[in-house]
Amino acid sequence: MANTASARKRIRQNEKRLERNRARRSRVRTFLRAVEDAISGGDKAKAQEAFRLAQPELQRAADKGVTHDNTVARKLSRLSARIKAIGAAA
């Protein structure tokens, strides 16, 4: 148990940060799921629109430190390639 005032404050801050990061991570996953669903549905226009909406969310997560910058770059690159492949396959 925390004995000092600063330790108690740190616990409160960590709890707030945990909740915020959980919400951000969940929001990112929701946007990614929308892109994945559009890609699996084979609708290129819908996939591009979902990707366009997901990009800033992923970048925001990286800026806030929820995910690593390179992880976001990798995910965006792979999603983009898969969306381009929809047009090539059709």
Side-chain angles (χ1 to χ4, degrees):
M1 189 63 208
N3 290 323
T4 62
S6 62
R8 285 191 290 271
K9 181 178 178 181
R10 176 57 59 195
I11 289 169
R12 288 194 308 271
Q13 288 175 328
N14 286 341
E15 287 170 356
K16 283 182 195 171
R17 196 166 292 119
L18 175 71
E19 286 303 313
R20 249 185 251 128
N21 288 342
R22 244 186 220 151
R24 282 194 186 110
R25 201 172 304 118
S26 174
R27 188 169 164 82
V28 165
R29 287 180 184 145
T30 301
F31 277 90
L32 286 175
R33 197 171 303 117
V35 177
E36 291 286 345
D37 290 345
I39 290 171
S40 63
D43 186 359
K44 187 170 184 174
K46 188 176 175 185
Q48 284 174 328
E49 180 62 20
F51 181 73
R52 191 184 64 77
L53 293 172
Q55 260 180 315
E57 280 303 322
L58 283 157
Q59 282 304 145
R60 196 170 296 119
D63 291 343
K64 300 291 185 181
V66 176
T67 55
H68 197 277
D69 292 347
N70 289 351
T71 303
V72 170
R74 184 181 67 244
K75 284 183 185 292
L76 290 175
S77 176
R78 288 179 181 175
L79 285 172
S80 179
R82 287 176 61 198
I83 290 169
K84 284 180 186 172
I86 292 171

